[in-house]
Amino acid sequence: MVHTGREANYLAQLGQPVYAPSAIDFSFLDYDVHELSDTQIKKIIEDFGSATKRAIDCGFDGVEIHGANHYLIQQFFSKWSNKRNDFWGGSLEKRMNFAKAVTDKVFKTAKKYAPKDFIIGYRISPEEIHDTVGYTCTNPRN
């Protein structure tokens, strides 16, 4: 299960807004990135639970939470791409809140609806490639 966050270039091609933890002008993107509101964040967390329930209803053996490859969960974890100063960003502990909330929702959904042998994986890549390839970003927009 994944939400691509700022990597949703297909939405940008369709003229739709692209959302991420923070509105940053990323030099490697040719479209604007908008900051998610608290309401949008909570809806995405619920959507991870709904996706888990659909997988269970379809008879899947498990799900994998995709917290890697610079997609939304990793974007929240990243000090580089998460410039928030609220519950969802700032300190390392706060930057972990989104991943923890998603994981909690997935596990609670599985516990309620899935068989006991349902598998939940979590893919993680906390590294930041941007500093090593010369990408830069400007200050967050207001």
Side-chain angles (χ1 to χ4, degrees), residues 35-74:
E35 183 170 289
L36 286 162
S37 69
D38 189 66
T39 301
Q40 289 171 310
I41 293 168
K42 290 175 181 173
K43 171 73 169 89
I44 291 168
I45 294 164
E46 290 298 317
D47 290 345
F48 273 94
S50 298
T52 302
K53 177 69 165 68
R54 286 192 302 275
I56 293 164
D57 291 345
C58 290
F60 281 51
D61 294 327
V63 294
E64 180 180 75
I65 302 166
H66 197 329
N69 300 101
H70 300 277
Y71 292 150
L72 189 63
I73 295 174
Q74 193 276 334

Short mmCIF file of all heavy atoms in Angstrom, two decimals, residues 35-74:
data_model
loop_
_atom_site.label_atom_id
_atom_site.label_comp_id
_atom_site.label_asym_id
_atom_site.label_seq_id
_atom_site.Cartn_x
_atom_site.Cartn_y
_atom_site.Cartn_z
N GLU A 35 1.09 21.67 0.57
CA GLU A 35 1.16 21.04 1.89
C GLU A 35 -0.19 20.41 2.26
O GLU A 35 -1.24 21.02 2.08
CB GLU A 35 1.53 22.07 2.95
CG GLU A 35 1.68 21.47 4.33
CD GLU A 35 2.28 22.44 5.33
OE1 GLU A 35 3.49 22.72 5.20
OE2 GLU A 35 1.54 22.90 6.21
N LEU A 36 -0.13 19.19 2.77
CA LEU A 36 -1.32 18.51 3.25
C LEU A 36 -1.85 19.19 4.51
O LEU A 36 -1.07 19.56 5.40
CB LEU A 36 -1.00 17.05 3.58
CG LEU A 36 -0.79 16.11 2.41
CD1 LEU A 36 -0.07 14.85 2.85
CD2 LEU A 36 -2.13 15.76 1.78
N SER A 37 -3.15 19.31 4.60
CA SER A 37 -3.76 19.81 5.82
C SER A 37 -3.89 18.66 6.82
O SER A 37 -3.78 17.49 6.46
CB SER A 37 -5.16 20.38 5.53
OG SER A 37 -6.05 19.32 5.19
N ASP A 38 -4.11 18.99 8.07
CA ASP A 38 -4.31 17.97 9.09
C ASP A 38 -5.49 17.06 8.73
O ASP A 38 -5.41 15.84 8.90
CB ASP A 38 -4.53 18.64 10.46
CG ASP A 38 -4.52 17.65 11.59
OD1 ASP A 38 -3.47 17.04 11.85
OD2 ASP A 38 -5.59 17.47 12.22
N THR A 39 -6.54 17.64 8.21
CA THR A 39 -7.72 16.85 7.80
C THR A 39 -7.36 15.89 6.68
O THR A 39 -7.76 14.71 6.70
CB THR A 39 -8.87 17.79 7.35
OG1 THR A 39 -9.21 18.65 8.45
CG2 THR A 39 -10.08 17.01 6.89
N GLN A 40 -6.59 16.35 5.70
CA GLN A 40 -6.16 15.47 4.60
C GLN A 40 -5.27 14.34 5.12
O GLN A 40 -5.40 13.20 4.66
CB GLN A 40 -5.41 16.28 3.54
CG GLN A 40 -6.28 17.20 2.73
CD GLN A 40 -5.45 18.12 1.85
OE1 GLN A 40 -4.51 18.77 2.33
NE2 GLN A 40 -5.80 18.17 0.57
N ILE A 41 -4.38 14.66 6.04
CA ILE A 41 -3.49 13.64 6.61
C ILE A 41 -4.31 12.55 7.29
O ILE A 41 -4.09 11.35 7.07
CB ILE A 41 -2.48 14.28 7.58
CG1 ILE A 41 -1.51 15.18 6.82
CG2 ILE A 41 -1.72 13.20 8.37
CD1 ILE A 41 -0.67 16.08 7.71
N LYS A 42 -5.27 12.95 8.10
CA LYS A 42 -6.11 11.97 8.82
C LYS A 42 -6.92 11.13 7.85
O LYS A 42 -7.13 9.94 8.07
CB LYS A 42 -6.99 12.69 9.83
CG LYS A 42 -6.17 13.24 10.99
CD LYS A 42 -7.01 14.05 11.95
CE LYS A 42 -6.13 14.59 13.08
NZ LYS A 42 -6.84 15.53 13.94
N LYS A 43 -7.36 11.72 6.74
CA LYS A 43 -8.10 10.97 5.72
C LYS A 43 -7.19 9.93 5.06
O LYS A 43 -7.61 8.79 4.81
CB LYS A 43 -8.66 11.94 4.68
CG LYS A 43 -9.27 11.30 3.46
CD LYS A 43 -10.61 10.65 3.76
CE LYS A 43 -11.36 10.24 2.51
NZ LYS A 43 -11.08 8.92 2.02
N ILE A 44 -5.96 10.29 4.78
CA ILE A 44 -5.01 9.34 4.18
C ILE A 44 -4.77 8.17 5.12
O ILE A 44 -4.71 7.01 4.68
CB ILE A 44 -3.69 10.05 3.80
CG1 ILE A 44 -3.94 11.02 2.63
CG2 ILE A 44 -2.60 9.04 3.44
CD1 ILE A 44 -2.79 11.98 2.36
N ILE A 45 -4.64 8.45 6.41
CA ILE A 45 -4.46 7.38 7.39
C ILE A 45 -5.66 6.44 7.36
O ILE A 45 -5.50 5.21 7.34
CB ILE A 45 -4.22 7.96 8.79
CG1 ILE A 45 -2.88 8.71 8.82
CG2 ILE A 45 -4.28 6.87 9.86
CD1 ILE A 45 -2.71 9.63 10.01
N GLU A 46 -6.85 6.99 7.32
CA GLU A 46 -8.07 6.17 7.21
C GLU A 46 -8.06 5.36 5.92
O GLU A 46 -8.49 4.20 5.90
CB GLU A 46 -9.32 7.05 7.28
CG GLU A 46 -9.57 7.67 8.64
CD GLU A 46 -9.81 6.63 9.72
OE1 GLU A 46 -10.54 5.64 9.49
OE2 GLU A 46 -9.23 6.80 10.83
N ASP A 47 -7.57 5.98 4.84
CA ASP A 47 -7.51 5.28 3.55
C ASP A 47 -6.60 4.06 3.60
O ASP A 47 -6.87 3.04 2.96
CB ASP A 47 -7.06 6.23 2.44
CG ASP A 47 -8.10 7.28 2.09
OD1 ASP A 47 -9.28 7.12 2.48
OD2 ASP A 47 -7.72 8.27 1.44
N PHE A 48 -5.51 4.14 4.36
CA PHE A 48 -4.64 2.96 4.53
C PHE A 48 -5.41 1.84 5.23
O PHE A 48 -5.27 0.67 4.88
CB PHE A 48 -3.38 3.32 5.31
CG PHE A 48 -2.24 3.82 4.46
CD1 PHE A 48 -2.05 5.18 4.27
CD2 PHE A 48 -1.36 2.94 3.86
CE1 PHE A 48 -1.00 5.65 3.49
CE2 PHE A 48 -0.30 3.40 3.08
CZ PHE A 48 -0.13 4.76 2.89
N GLY A 49 -6.24 2.20 6.20
CA GLY A 49 -7.08 1.21 6.86
C GLY A 49 -8.09 0.61 5.90
O GLY A 49 -8.31 -0.61 5.89
N SER A 50 -8.70 1.45 5.07
CA SER A 50 -9.67 0.97 4.08
C SER A 50 -9.01 0.04 3.06
O SER A 50 -9.59 -0.97 2.65
CB SER A 50 -10.32 2.15 3.36
OG SER A 50 -11.04 2.94 4.27
N ALA A 51 -7.80 0.39 2.65
CA ALA A 51 -7.07 -0.46 1.70
C ALA A 51 -6.75 -1.82 2.33
O ALA A 51 -6.83 -2.86 1.67
CB ALA A 51 -5.79 0.23 1.25
N THR A 52 -6.41 -1.81 3.60
CA THR A 52 -6.16 -3.06 4.31
C THR A 52 -7.41 -3.92 4.34
O THR A 52 -7.37 -5.13 4.07
CB THR A 52 -5.67 -2.77 5.75
OG1 THR A 52 -4.51 -1.96 5.69
CG2 THR A 52 -5.38 -4.05 6.50
N LYS A 53 -8.53 -3.31 4.64
CA LYS A 53 -9.81 -4.04 4.69
C LYS A 53 -10.16 -4.62 3.31
O LYS A 53 -10.60 -5.78 3.21
CB LYS A 53 -10.93 -3.10 5.17
CG LYS A 53 -12.33 -3.71 5.19
CD LYS A 53 -12.48 -4.77 6.25
CE LYS A 53 -13.92 -5.14 6.55
NZ LYS A 53 -14.63 -5.83 5.51
N ARG A 54 -9.93 -3.87 2.26
CA ARG A 54 -10.20 -4.40 0.91
C ARG A 54 -9.29 -5.58 0.60
O ARG A 54 -9.74 -6.58 0.01
CB ARG A 54 -10.02 -3.29 -0.14
CG ARG A 54 -11.15 -2.29 -0.15
CD ARG A 54 -11.11 -1.37 -1.37
NE ARG A 54 -9.87 -0.63 -1.50
CZ ARG A 54 -9.60 0.54 -0.89
NH1 ARG A 54 -10.50 1.08 -0.10
NH2 ARG A 54 -8.45 1.15 -1.09
N ALA A 55 -8.04 -5.51 0.99
CA ALA A 55 -7.12 -6.63 0.76
C ALA A 55 -7.60 -7.87 1.52
O ALA A 55 -7.56 -8.99 0.98
CB ALA A 55 -5.70 -6.24 1.20
N ILE A 56 -8.04 -7.68 2.73
CA ILE A 56 -8.56 -8.79 3.53
C ILE A 56 -9.79 -9.38 2.86
O ILE A 56 -9.91 -10.61 2.70
CB ILE A 56 -8.88 -8.32 4.97
CG1 ILE A 56 -7.58 -7.95 5.69
CG2 ILE A 56 -9.66 -9.39 5.73
CD1 ILE A 56 -7.80 -7.12 6.96
N ASP A 57 -10.72 -8.52 2.46
CA ASP A 57 -11.96 -8.98 1.81
C ASP A 57 -11.69 -9.72 0.51
O ASP A 57 -12.46 -10.60 0.12
CB ASP A 57 -12.89 -7.79 1.53
CG ASP A 57 -13.46 -7.18 2.80
OD1 ASP A 57 -13.37 -7.82 3.89
OD2 ASP A 57 -13.99 -6.05 2.72
N CYS A 58 -10.60 -9.38 -0.17
CA CYS A 58 -10.24 -10.04 -1.43
C CYS A 58 -9.46 -11.32 -1.21
O CYS A 58 -9.10 -12.00 -2.18
CB CYS A 58 -9.42 -9.08 -2.30
SG CYS A 58 -10.39 -7.72 -2.97
N GLY A 59 -9.14 -11.64 0.03
CA GLY A 59 -8.45 -12.88 0.32
C GLY A 59 -6.94 -12.81 0.26
O GLY A 59 -6.27 -13.85 0.20
N PHE A 60 -6.38 -11.61 0.30
CA PHE A 60 -4.92 -11.48 0.30
C PHE A 60 -4.35 -12.11 1.57
O PHE A 60 -4.99 -12.13 2.61
CB PHE A 60 -4.52 -10.01 0.25
CG PHE A 60 -4.61 -9.39 -1.11
CD1 PHE A 60 -5.75 -9.49 -1.90
CD2 PHE A 60 -3.53 -8.67 -1.62
CE1 PHE A 60 -5.82 -8.91 -3.14
CE2 PHE A 60 -3.59 -8.08 -2.87
CZ PHE A 60 -4.74 -8.20 -3.64
N ASP A 61 -3.12 -12.59 1.48
CA ASP A 61 -2.43 -13.16 2.63
C ASP A 61 -1.84 -12.09 3.53
O ASP A 61 -1.47 -12.37 4.68
CB ASP A 61 -1.29 -14.09 2.18
CG ASP A 61 -1.80 -15.32 1.46
OD1 ASP A 61 -2.90 -15.80 1.80
OD2 ASP A 61 -1.10 -15.80 0.55
N GLY A 62 -1.70 -10.88 3.02
CA GLY A 62 -1.12 -9.80 3.79
C GLY A 62 -0.99 -8.54 2.97
O GLY A 62 -1.42 -8.49 1.81
N VAL A 63 -0.41 -7.53 3.57
CA VAL A 63 -0.16 -6.25 2.90
C VAL A 63 1.23 -5.77 3.28
O VAL A 63 1.80 -6.19 4.30
CB VAL A 63 -1.20 -5.17 3.29
CG1 VAL A 63 -2.58 -5.52 2.81
CG2 VAL A 63 -1.19 -4.92 4.79
N GLU A 64 1.78 -4.89 2.46
CA GLU A 64 3.04 -4.24 2.78
C GLU A 64 2.80 -2.74 2.79
O GLU A 64 2.28 -2.17 1.84
CB GLU A 64 4.11 -4.57 1.75
CG GLU A 64 5.44 -3.89 2.05
CD GLU A 64 6.51 -4.22 1.03
OE1 GLU A 64 6.44 -3.68 -0.09
OE2 GLU A 64 7.39 -5.03 1.36
N ILE A 65 3.18 -2.11 3.88
CA ILE A 65 3.12 -0.65 4.00
C ILE A 65 4.39 -0.12 3.36
O ILE A 65 5.49 -0.48 3.75
CB ILE A 65 3.03 -0.23 5.48
CG1 ILE A 65 1.80 -0.86 6.15
CG2 ILE A 65 3.01 1.29 5.59
CD1 ILE A 65 1.82 -0.76 7.67
N HIS A 66 4.24 0.74 2.36
CA HIS A 66 5.39 1.22 1.59
C HIS A 66 5.89 2.54 2.19
O HIS A 66 5.37 3.60 1.90
CB HIS A 66 4.97 1.41 0.14
CG HIS A 66 6.12 1.50 -0.83
ND1 HIS A 66 7.34 2.01 -0.49
CD2 HIS A 66 6.21 1.14 -2.12
CE1 HIS A 66 8.14 1.97 -1.55
NE2 HIS A 66 7.47 1.45 -2.55
N GLY A 67 6.92 2.43 3.02
CA GLY A 67 7.52 3.60 3.64
C GLY A 67 8.89 3.89 3.07
O GLY A 67 9.79 4.29 3.82
N ALA A 68 9.04 3.68 1.77
CA ALA A 68 10.36 3.79 1.14
C ALA A 68 10.27 4.60 -0.15
O ALA A 68 9.22 5.11 -0.52
CB ALA A 68 10.90 2.39 0.84
N ASN A 69 11.40 4.68 -0.84
CA ASN A 69 11.50 5.24 -2.19
C ASN A 69 10.97 6.67 -2.32
O ASN A 69 10.46 7.05 -3.36
CB ASN A 69 10.81 4.33 -3.20
CG ASN A 69 11.42 2.96 -3.23
OD1 ASN A 69 10.86 2.05 -2.64
ND2 ASN A 69 12.57 2.80 -3.85
N HIS A 70 11.08 7.43 -1.27
CA HIS A 70 10.69 8.84 -1.28
C HIS A 70 9.19 9.04 -1.51
O HIS A 70 8.78 10.10 -2.00
CB HIS A 70 11.53 9.64 -2.28
CG HIS A 70 12.97 9.57 -1.96
ND1 HIS A 70 13.56 10.39 -1.04
CD2 HIS A 70 13.94 8.74 -2.40
CE1 HIS A 70 14.83 10.09 -0.93
NE2 HIS A 70 15.10 9.08 -1.74
N TYR A 71 8.38 8.05 -1.16
CA TYR A 71 6.93 8.21 -1.20
C TYR A 71 6.46 8.83 0.11
O TYR A 71 7.26 9.17 0.98
CB TYR A 71 6.24 6.89 -1.52
CG TYR A 71 6.50 6.39 -2.93
CD1 TYR A 71 6.52 5.05 -3.21
CD2 TYR A 71 6.72 7.28 -3.98
CE1 TYR A 71 6.75 4.58 -4.50
CE2 TYR A 71 6.96 6.83 -5.27
CZ TYR A 71 6.97 5.48 -5.52
OH TYR A 71 7.20 5.03 -6.79
N LEU A 72 5.17 9.01 0.27
CA LEU A 72 4.64 9.88 1.32
C LEU A 72 5.11 9.53 2.73
O LEU A 72 5.47 10.43 3.49
CB LEU A 72 3.10 9.90 1.28
CG LEU A 72 2.46 10.93 2.19
CD1 LEU A 72 2.83 12.35 1.79
CD2 LEU A 72 0.95 10.77 2.19
N ILE A 73 5.11 8.28 3.11
CA ILE A 73 5.52 7.94 4.48
C ILE A 73 6.96 8.36 4.70
O ILE A 73 7.29 8.97 5.73
CB ILE A 73 5.30 6.44 4.77
CG1 ILE A 73 3.79 6.12 4.74
CG2 ILE A 73 5.89 6.07 6.12
CD1 ILE A 73 3.47 4.65 4.87
N GLN A 74 7.83 8.08 3.75
CA GLN A 74 9.23 8.48 3.88
C GLN A 74 9.36 10.00 3.84
O GLN A 74 10.21 10.57 4.52
CB GLN A 74 10.08 7.83 2.79
CG GLN A 74 11.58 7.93 3.02
CD GLN A 74 12.19 9.25 2.55
OE1 GLN A 74 11.67 9.91 1.65
NE2 GLN A 74 13.28 9.64 3.17
#
